[in-house]
C-alpha cells in the first residue's frame, strides 16, 4: 500500500520541477511507521524496540542484583506475591518465591539475547547501513523486512505475557534461557513455558526472514564495482551472521517444537520413559546456541572495524584476513557446540575433540584483535566517543575471550561449568563486548541516522561510568566462580557475600547511573543537538553512508554509485 | 601423576611464566589430618553398631572462603593436577595475553595520537606479521592442549577393582546415595534449615542431615542418575561435576586423599528449590567407614570385612 502510494507520486512527479527531490517524499505517519517498506525506517523501529527491550532486561538484572546483594531471601516473596495478586491469586509459598527467581533469570537471558542484542545489531544497524554501504536503494524484500520486524512484537508480548500465567511451581517460565528438557517438559506444567516456546518460534521466524533478506540483498544488490572483496567489513559481518541465522535457527525451531509435542501430544523425544533422551535436546539446542553467540558478536566485530579505521584515518589492516577470519569463526562456530555440555556425560573422545575444536576459535579471534591494533599502528588517532567505546571493546573482549580459552578445556570446565566463572565469561564477551560495540555503533552512526550530533562530554561520561560499573559488576564473578558458586541461585552460603555485595551495591548502581547519561544525551541531542554534517568524522570515514546527507534522503541511490 | 606434573613444569619453563607465582599457591591447610584424628571414634563400641560421631567441617577446607578469589583447595590427584594447570599455566597465560593487548593498545594510543602523528601511513598489509599472529597462537594453543589432553585422560581413567561404587540419584530437591557394594542400603540427604545448620555448626545452605560417607584413599566410582529432571552432582574440592540425567547412568570417579568434610551444590537448574540441594561428602578412615556402613544396616565387602572383624575383636 505504501509502495503504491509512493510510486504513484513518483510517476506524477515525472517531468515536474521537483523530479530529483522526490527521493525524500515520506508517507504519512501511520503508513510510514506501521506499514513501512523503507530499510531506514524499519532499522529505526528495530533500534527503538531494542532500547525498550534493553531497559526491561536491564531492569530485571537490577532486581536480580538487589536480591543477591545479601545472603538470604530479601525481596522475592514480595515480588512473587505482587505478581500473584495482580493476576487475582493468593500469596505464594516459598517455592513460588524461588520460582520467581528462575523466571527473572530466564526473562533476562531471553530478552537480552533475542530482543535487545539481535534486533539492535542486525535489525537496527544492519537494516540501516547494509544497503547504504553496498550502494543499494533498499533491502531486496522490503515487505518481508517489515514482517520481520512486526513478528518481534507478538513474540515479545508472548514472552512478557508468560510471566502472568502458571509455569509449574509459580507464575512464569522458570527454565533458564536454554529451556532444558525435562524441566521444560514434564517439569513445568502450565501455559507459561508454551508461551515462551511460541515466542522463540516467532523470534526465530523473524530472524530467518531477516537473514534471507540480507543474503539476497548483499549478493544481488551491490552497486557496480562493489565486489565482495571491496565490501565494508560491517557488511561482511552481517553476511556471515545471516548465514549463521539461516542455518542455526531452524534447528532451534525443531528442538523447541519437539518440546511442545512432548508437552502436549504424547511424544517422548526427550523423555526416557518413552525411549527419548534429554541430552538430545541439549545437542540440538547448542547446535543453535553456539552459533547464536557469534550471531551476537560478529556484527559488533564489523562495527568495530569501521570505527577503528575511521578514527585511525587508515584502511583496515589485513582486510581479507579480517573478512575470512569472520567466515572461519562462523564455520568453526558450528562444530564446537558440545563444549556447553562438558558435564552432561559425554565420552572421553568427544570431550577431547570438542576441547581441541573450541580452542581453534581463539586463532581467528586473535587475528581480529591484532588486526585492529595494527590498523591503529601508524595511524593518526583521534579519540572521539565512538572510538573510546571501540577501544574499550577491544580490551574487554580480549579479557572475555581468554577466559573462554580456560573454559574450552574440558577437564578444567569440570570445575567451572555452571559456576559464576561462566557467568563472568559470557558477560565480558556480551555485556562488555557486544554491548560496548552497540554503543560504539550508536555514537558513530547517530549523527547519520538522526541528523543531529550527540553531546561528546556526556558520551565520555557515559563511557567511563559504565566502564567502571560493569567491571566492578562482572570481574568479581570470576572469583565467585573459582570459589565454585553455582549460577542460577537466588541465595548463597554466607562465604559468597563479600563479592556479591560489592557487585550489587557498587557495580550495578554505577553501571545504571552511567546509563542515565546515555538517555539524557539521546533525548537532549534529538531535540537540541547541533545539526550533523554529511561526514562529521573526517577523512577516515570512507564508506558510502558518509557521502549522503545526514539524515540520508528517504530513498538513496536512485542512480547507483560506481565504485572504482 | 608425577610424570604429568613434571611435563607441566617443563611447559611452564617453555612459557617462562608463573614461576614467581608458585610459592603463593603452595599453601595447604595443615590442621586437617589432626581434626580427622579427633573425629575418628573409639573403635570399642563397634560390636553394637552405633553410628560414628559426625565430623565437623574445617574452616577453609571443602567449602568457600569469604572474600577469596581462587580455586578451592583440592584433595584429589586429578584436582591437584587441574588446579596446577589452571593456576600455573592458564592463569599466567591469559593474564599475560590480556596485559600484552592492553599494553599494545595504550602504546599505540600514545604513539599514534593525532598530535604525535598527524599524517597516517597507508600501510594496510604485512604478510609476515599476519603469519606470525596466526601461527604463534596455534603453537600456544597446541601447548595448552597437551596438559588439557592429559587431564581429560586422567579424569576418564578406569578405576581399579578395589573401587567403591556409590549410586547418586538427584531428586527435586534432595539427593539419595545408594551403596551397592555394601548391601545396597540408601541414604537420603536433605538440606538443613538455617536454624538446624547453625545448631549443627554447618555453613548455611550447605549442611545436610545425612552425608555421603566414603573411605579415604579409596577410588570411589560415582554413578549418577535422576528421578525427575536434570541435576548435577558437584564436589569442588574433588574437581568433580557430573550431571544426573533421567534415563541415563553417568559415571565419574574420585579418590580423596584427605579425610574431611567437603561441600558442593547442585549445579544444573532443576526447578524452584535448585539452590537448596547441597552435597556433603564425609571422607573418613576405612575403619570409620566400616562402622558407618554397619550402623546403616549395610554389609562390608571383600577385604573390608576382615578389617572390620579386626576392629570387632578389639
Amino acid at each position: 500500500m505504501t509502495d503504491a502510494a509512493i510510486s504513484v507520486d513518483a510517476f506524477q512527479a515525472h517531468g515536474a520541477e521537483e523530479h530529483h527531490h522526490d527521493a525524500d517524499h515520506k508517507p504519512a505517519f501511520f503508513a510510514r511507521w506501521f506499514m513501512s517498506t523503507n530499510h531506514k525506517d524499519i532499522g529505526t523501529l528495530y533500534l527503538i524496540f531494542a532500547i525498550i527491550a534493553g531497559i526491561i532486561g536491564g531492569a530485571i538484572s537490577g532486581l536480580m542484583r538487589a536480591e543477591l546483594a545479601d545472603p538470604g531471601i530479601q525481596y522475592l516473596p514480595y515480588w512473587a506475591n505482587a505478581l500473584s495478586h495482580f493476576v487475582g491469586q493468593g500469596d505464594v509459598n516459598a517455592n513460588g518465591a524461588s520460582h520467581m527467581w528462575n523466571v527473572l533469570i530466564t526473562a533476562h537471558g531471553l530478552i537480552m539475547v533475542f530482543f535487545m542484542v539481535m534486533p539492535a545489531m542486525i535489525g537496527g544497524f544492519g537494516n540501516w547501513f547494509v544497503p547504504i554501504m553496498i550502494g543499494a536503494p533498499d533491502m531486496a524484500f522490503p515487505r518481508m523486512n517489515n514482517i520481520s520486524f512486526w513478528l518481534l512484537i507478538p513474540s515479545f508480548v508472548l514472552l512478557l505475557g508468560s510471566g502472568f500465567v502458571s509455569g509449574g511451581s509459580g507464575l512464569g517460565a522458570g527454565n533458564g534461557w536454554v529451556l532444558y528438557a525435562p524441566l521444560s517438559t514434564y517439569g513445568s506444567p502450565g501455559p507459561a513455558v508454551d508461551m515462551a516456546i511460541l515466542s522463540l518460534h516467532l523470534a526465530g521466524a523473524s530472524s530467518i526472514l531477516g537473514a534471507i533478506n540480507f543474503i539476497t540483498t548483499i549478493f544481488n544488490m551491490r552497486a557496480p564495482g562493489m565486489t565482495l572483496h571491496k565490501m565494508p567489513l560491517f557488511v561482511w559481518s552481517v553476511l556471515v551472521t545471516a548465514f549463521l541465522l539461516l542455518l542455526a535457527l531452524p534447528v532451534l525451531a525443531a528442538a523447541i517444537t519437539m518440546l511442545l509435542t512432548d508437552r502436549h501430544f504424547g511424544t517422548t523425544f526427550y523423555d526416557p520413559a518413552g525411549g527419548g533422551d534429554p541430552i538430545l535436546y541439549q545437542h540440538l539446542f547448542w547446535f543453535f546456541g553456539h552459533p547464536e553467540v557469534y550471531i551476537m558478536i560478529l556484527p559488533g566485530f564489523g562495527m568495530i572495524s569501521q570505527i577503528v579505521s575511521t578514527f585511525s584515518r587508515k584502511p583496515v589492516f589485513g582486510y581479507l584476513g579480517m573478512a575470512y577470519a569472520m567466515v572461519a569463526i562462523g564455520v568453526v562456530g558450528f562444530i564446537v557446540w558440545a563444549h556447553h555440555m562438558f558435564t552432561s556425560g559425554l565420552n572421553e573422545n568427544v570431550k577431547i575433540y570438542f576441547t581441541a575444536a573450541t580452542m581453534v576459535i581463539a586463532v581467528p579471534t586473535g587475528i581480529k584483535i591484532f588486526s585492529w591494533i595494527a590498523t591503529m599502528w601508524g595511524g593518526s588517532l583521534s579519540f572521539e566517543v565512538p572510538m573510546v567505546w571501540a577501544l574499550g571493546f577491544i580490551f574487554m573482549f580480549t579479557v572475555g575471550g581468554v577466559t573462554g580459552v580456560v573454559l574450552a578445556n574440558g577437564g578444567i570446565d569440570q570445575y567451572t561449568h555452571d559456576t559464576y566463572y561462566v557467568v563472568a565469561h559470557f558477560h565480558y564477551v556480551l555485556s562488555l563486548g557486544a554491548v560496548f560495540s552497540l554503543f560504539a555503533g550508536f555514537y558513530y552512526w547517530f549523527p547519520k541516522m538522526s541528523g543531529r550530533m550527540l553531546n561528546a562530554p556526556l558520551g565520555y561520561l557515559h563511557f567511563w561510568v559504565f566502564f567502571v560499573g560493569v567491571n566492578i559488576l562482572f570481574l568479581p564473578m570470576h572469583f565467585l566462580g573459582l570459589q565454585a558458586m553455582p549460577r542460577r541461585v537466588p541465595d548463597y552460603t554466607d562465604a559468597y557475600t563479600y563479592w556479591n555485595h560489592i557487585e550489587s551495591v557498587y557495580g550495578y548502581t554505577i553501571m545504571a547511573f552511567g546509563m542515565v547519561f546515555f538517555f539524557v544525551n539521546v533525548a537532549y541531542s534529538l531535540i537540541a543537538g547541533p545539526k550533523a554534517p554529511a561526514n562529521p568524522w573526517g577523512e577516515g570515514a570512507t564508506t558510502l553512508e558518509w557521502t549522503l546527507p545526514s539524515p540520508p534522503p528517504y530513498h538513496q541511490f536512485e542512480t547507483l554509485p560506481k565504485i572504482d | 601423576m608425577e610424570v604429568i606434573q613434571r611435563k607441566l613444569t617443563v611447559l611452564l619453563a617453555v612459557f617462562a611464566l608463573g614461576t614467581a607465582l608458585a610459592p603463593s599457591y603452595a599453601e595447604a591447610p595443615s590442621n586437617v589430618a589432626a581434626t580427622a584424628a579427633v573425629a575418628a571414634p573409639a573403635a570399642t563400641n563397634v560390636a553394637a553398631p552405633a553410628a560414628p560421631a559426625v565430623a565437623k567441617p574445617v574452616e577453609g577446607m571443602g567449602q568457600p572462603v569469604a572474600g577469596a578469589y581462587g580455586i578451592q583447595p583440592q584433595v584429589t590427584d586429578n584436582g591437584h593436577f587441574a588446579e596446577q594447570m589452571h593456576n600455573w599455566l592458564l592463569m599466567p597465560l591469559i593474564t599475560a595475553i590480556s596485559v600484552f593487548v592492553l599494553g599494545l593498545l595504550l602504546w599505540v594510543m600514545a604513539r599514534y595520537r593525532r598530535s604525535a602523528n598527524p599524517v597516517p601511513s597507508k600501510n594496510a598489509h604485512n604478510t609476515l606479521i599476519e603469519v606470525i599472529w596466526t601461527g604463534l597462537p596455534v603453537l600456544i594453543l597446541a601447548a595448552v592442549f597437551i596438559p588439557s589432553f592429559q587431564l581429560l585422560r586422567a579424569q576418564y581413567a578406569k578405576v581399579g577393582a578395589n573401587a567403591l561404587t556409590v549410586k547418586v540419584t538427584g531428586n527435586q530437591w534432595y539427593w539419595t546415595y545408594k551403596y551397592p557394594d555394601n548391601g545396597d542400603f540408601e541414604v537420603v540427604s536433605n538440606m538443613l534449615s538455617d536454624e538446624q545448620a547453625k545448631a549443627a555448626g554447618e555453613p548455611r545452605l550447605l549442611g545436610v542431615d545425612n552425608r555421603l560417607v566414603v573411605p579415604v584413599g579409596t577410588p570411589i566410582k560415582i554413578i549418577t542418575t535422576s528421578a525427575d529432571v536434570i541435576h548435577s552432582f558437584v564436589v569442588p574440592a574433588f574437581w568433580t561435576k557430573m550431571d544426573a540425567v533421567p534415563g541415563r547412568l553417568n559415571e565419574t570417579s574420585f579418590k580423596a586423599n584427605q579425610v574431611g568434610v567437603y561441600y558442593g551444590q547442585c549445579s544444573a537448574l532443576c526447578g524452584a528449590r535448585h539452590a537448596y540441594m547441597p552435597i556433603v561428602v564425609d571422607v573418613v578412615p576405612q575403619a570409620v567407614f566400616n562402622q558407618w556402613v554397619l550402623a546403616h544396616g549395610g554389609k562390608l565387602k571383600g577385604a573390608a570385612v576382615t578389617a572390620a572383624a579386626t576392629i570387632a575383636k578389639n
Side-chain angles (χ1 to χ4, degrees):
Chain A
M1 189 182 191
T2 11
D3 266 3
I6 294 163
S7 48
V8 168
D9 285 349
F11 283 120
Q12 284 168 344
H14 259 295
E17 59 286 352
E18 73 270 30
H19 177 67
H20 291 291
H21 306 285
D22 259 0
D24 215 22
H25 180 90
K26 297 182 182 73
F29 180 84
F30 187 81
R32 178 176 179 192
W33 295 109
F34 288 85
M35 302 141 78
S36 183
T37 52
N38 183 296
H39 73 100
K40 295 184 285 293
D41 283 352
I42 294 172
T44 304
L45 289 171
Y46 265 113
L47 286 176
I48 293 169
F49 178 87
I51 289 173
I52 292 169
I55 291 170
I56 297 172
I60 290 175
S61 65
L63 298 179
M64 285 150 57
R65 282 317 323 172
E67 178 57 57
L68 288 173
D70 294 292
I73 296 292
Q74 268 74 235
Y75 310 108
L76 282 174
Y78 303 105
W79 297 334
N81 277 338
L83 191 64
S84 181
H85 292 158
F86 181 78
V87 299
Q89 297 173 8
D91 280 356
V92 302
N93 58 15
N95 280 6
S98 309
H99 182 86
M100 179 81 197
W101 174 262
N102 296 345
V103 173
L104 291 178
I105 58 163
T106 307
H108 173 71
L110 289 174
I111 290 174
M112 288 311 204
V113 169
F114 286 94
F115 301 106
M116 196 281 276
V117 173
M118 287 171 73
M121 283 201 169
I122 307 155
F125 294 127
N127 248 311
W128 249 98
F129 293 106
V130 163
I132 299 183
M133 281 178 154
I134 60 173
D138 206 309
M139 294 287 284
F141 307 116
R143 289 186 186 286
M144 195 163 88
N145 203 9
N146 194 31
I147 193 72
S148 296
F149 171 74
W150 286 102
L151 278 175
L152 275 185
I153 308 292
S155 171
F156 197 37
V157 168
L158 274 171
L159 181 64
L160 294 180
S162 74
F164 300 95
V165 294
S166 171
S169 21
L171 294 171
N175 311 302
W177 83 283
V178 296
L179 298 172
Y180 272 8
L183 182 60
S184 61
T185 56
Y186 57 71
S188 301
V193 182
D194 300 314
M195 288 173 73
I197 290 171
L198 290 172
S199 166
L200 288 188
H201 271 124
L202 288 180
S206 157
S207 289
I208 292 171
L209 295 179
I212 293 169
N213 216 342
F214 278 114
I215 293 171
T216 314
T217 306
I218 294 170
F219 278 163
N220 294 307
M221 293 179 64
R222 298 190 310 279
M226 176 65 76
T227 60
L228 282 175
H229 283 175
K230 279 186 185 163
M231 289 197 312
L233 282 173
F234 178 66
V235 182
W236 263 105
S237 73
V238 174
L239 179 64
V240 176
T241 304
F243 272 102
L244 297 191
L245 286 167
L246 193 67
L247 296 172
L249 278 164
V251 179
L252 173 72
I256 61 178
T257 303
M258 287 188 267
L259 280 185
L260 271 186
T261 61
D262 269 17
R263 285 173 63 81
H264 295 295
F265 305 119
T267 60
T268 53
F269 294 109
Y270 309 129
D271 184 356
D277 188 350
I279 301 300
L280 170 65
Y281 177 79
Q282 298 186 10
H283 279 295
L284 292 173
F285 180 85
W286 287 113
F287 187 83
F288 145 80
H290 196 76
E292 172 68 27
V293 305
Y294 295 108
I295 288 165
M296 286 191 278
I297 198 66
L298 280 173
F301 284 175
M303 289 189 261
I304 297 301
S305 293
Q306 307 299 147
I307 292 164
V308 166
S309 160
T310 294
F311 297 101
S312 304
R313 284 177 161 60
K314 262 185 76 191
V316 175
F317 185 94
Y319 168 87
L320 280 183
M322 287 291 255
Y324 286 98
M326 289 193 284
V327 175
I329 291 171
V331 171
V332 181
F334 270 106
I335 51 171
V336 297
W337 74 89
H339 67 220
H340 297 270
M341 306 161 52
F342 273 152
T343 64
S344 67
L346 301 174
N347 86 23
E348 185 178 353
N349 290 335
V350 173
K351 240 165 130 171
I352 288 170
Y353 161 73
F354 278 103
T355 295
T358 304
M359 285 185 175
V360 169
I361 293 217
V363 176
T365 314
I367 292 177
K368 298 207 69 81
I369 301 276
F370 292 126
S371 294
W372 286 321
I373 295 174
T375 304
M376 291 185 259
W377 197 284
S380 180
L381 276 61
S382 58
F383 303 102
E384 319 276 355
V385 179
M387 182 63 164
V388 173
W389 283 97
L391 291 166
F393 167 91
I394 295 173
F395 179 55
M396 290 291 98
F397 187 79
T398 304
V399 174
V402 291
T403 56
V405 174
V406 174
L407 290 169
N409 297 282
I412 300 292
D413 186 66
Q414 193 156 315
Y415 184 93
T416 47
H417 188 89
D418 266 342
T419 67
Y420 261 80
Y421 195 87
V422 175
V423 180
H425 160 69
F426 69 69
H427 279 97
Y428 261 79
V429 289
L430 294 176
S431 261
L432 290 88
V435 170
F436 269 46
S437 70
L438 279 174
F439 282 128
F442 193 85
Y443 281 97
Y444 183 58
W445 280 319
F446 183 86
K448 179 55 62 188
M449 296 186 291
S450 69
R452 303 273 189 173
M453 297 301 289
L454 278 167
N455 182 285
L458 283 174
Y460 290 122
L461 264 176
H462 175 207
F463 172 79
W464 283 111
V465 177
F466 192 81
F467 182 84
V468 170
V470 285
N471 275 293
I472 297 176
L473 176 52
F474 294 119
L475 187 72
M477 288 186 183
H478 293 105
F479 311 150
L480 289 171
L482 291 177
Q483 280 287 298
M485 177 171 168
R487 48 189 293 216
R488 296 170 168 154
V489 291
D491 192 3
Y492 45 80
T493 192
D494 303 358
Y496 295 126
T497 308
Y498 182 77
W499 295 117
N500 269 302
H501 194 76
I502 288 177
E503 286 166 14
S504 291
V505 174
Y506 301 102
Y508 186 85
T509 317
I510 294 172
M511 185 276 290
F513 184 60
M515 287 307 296
V516 172
F517 296 111
F518 173 74
F519 291 114
V520 168
N521 198 354
V522 171
Y524 165 81
S525 303
L526 280 176
I527 298 162
K531 290 255 184 297
N535 178 3
W537 305 128
E539 57 180 290
T542 54
T543 40
L544 283 174
E545 75 268 31
W546 307 110
T547 63
L548 299 171
S550 301
Y554 197 61
H555 295 291
Q556 77 276 352
F557 301 139
E558 295 206 314
T559 310
L560 294 181
K562 274 205 162 45
I563 287 89
D564 314 312
Chain B
M1 217 54 232
E2 283 295 325
V3 179
I4 293 168
Q5 289 186 5
R6 227 177 293 131
K7 281 181 187 162
L8 195 64
T9 320
V10 172
L11 267 168
L12 282 170
V14 171
F15 286 108
L17 289 170
T19 31
L21 287 168
S24 62
Y25 291 110
E27 45 188 279
S30 49
N31 55 346
V32 177
T35 319
V38 174
T44 42
N45 58 354
V46 170
V54 175
K56 290 279 177 230
V58 177
E59 194 75 21
M61 198 63 191
Q63 55 176 302
V65 174
Y69 47 82
I71 286 171
Q72 289 188 16
Q74 297 298 306
V75 295
T76 62
D77 291 345
N78 287 345
H80 277 301
F81 176 33
E83 184 191 20
Q84 284 187 31
M85 181 179 160
H86 175 269
N87 288 352
W88 292 12
L89 175 64
L90 293 172
M91 219 18 225
L93 180 67
I94 67 172
T95 309
I97 292 172
S98 300
V99 169
F100 176 64
V101 168
L102 180 64
L104 273 178
L105 271 177
L106 292 175
W107 189 80
V108 166
M109 284 162 66
R111 171 65 186 82
Y112 297 108
R113 67 187 192 277
R114 183 138 319 154
S115 52
N117 193 41
V119 182
S121 96
K122 289 289 163 205
N123 181 18
H125 299 283
N126 185 328
T127 310
L128 178 65
I129 191 89
E130 290 185 62
V131 168
I132 290 174
W133 73 41
T134 309
L136 196 61
V138 171
L139 294 179
I140 293 176
L141 289 169
V144 170
F145 185 69
I146 295 168
S148 187
F149 178 78
Q150 291 167 331
L151 175 61
L152 278 167
R153 291 302 292 266
Q155 285 168 340
Y156 278 91
K158 291 269 174 291
V159 287
N162 63 333
L164 175 82
T165 302
V166 182
K167 187 180 175 195
V168 174
T169 307
N171 307 267
Q172 283 179 316
W173 290 273
Y174 59 95
W175 295 94
T176 50
Y177 306 119
K178 244 182 179 178
Y179 289 76
D181 294 343
N182 301 93
D184 217 20
F185 68 91
E186 186 177 86
V187 176
V188 179
S189 183
N190 271 291
M191 189 184 79
L192 297 177
S193 71
D194 288 6
E195 299 74 38
Q196 291 168 326
K198 198 166 186 188
E202 297 268 2
R204 199 179 68 86
L205 297 187
L206 292 183
V208 295
D209 52 0
N210 295 305
R211 295 168 175 172
L212 169 61
V213 180
V214 295
V216 67
T218 305
I220 310 297
K221 188 204 277 187
I222 296 283
I223 308 283
T224 67
T225 190
S226 166
D228 36 59
V229 302
I230 299 175
H231 303 270
S232 190
F233 176 82
V234 178
V235 188
F238 301 164
W239 209 274
T240 292
K241 183 172 288 157
M242 184 52 81
D243 289 358
V245 184
R248 279 188 172 233
L249 296 173
N250 281 340
E251 180 182 327
T252 188
S253 64
F254 63 81
K255 181 167 71 68
N257 295 328
Q258 245 174 355
V259 290
V261 185
Y262 303 96
Y263 297 88
Q265 290 176 271
C266 174
S267 291
L269 182 61
C270 56
R273 294 186 60 76
H274 163 56
Y276 307 117
M277 45 183 298
I279 295 129
V280 185
V281 182
D282 201 352
V283 178
V284 298
Q286 182 72 47
V288 180
F289 176 73
N290 292 343
Q291 188 189 352
W292 179 83
V293 166
L294 294 173
H296 281 76
K299 295 196 291 270
L300 302 181
K301 76 161 191 176
V305 177
T306 346
T310 324
I311 295 168
K313 253 184 268 169
N314 293 339

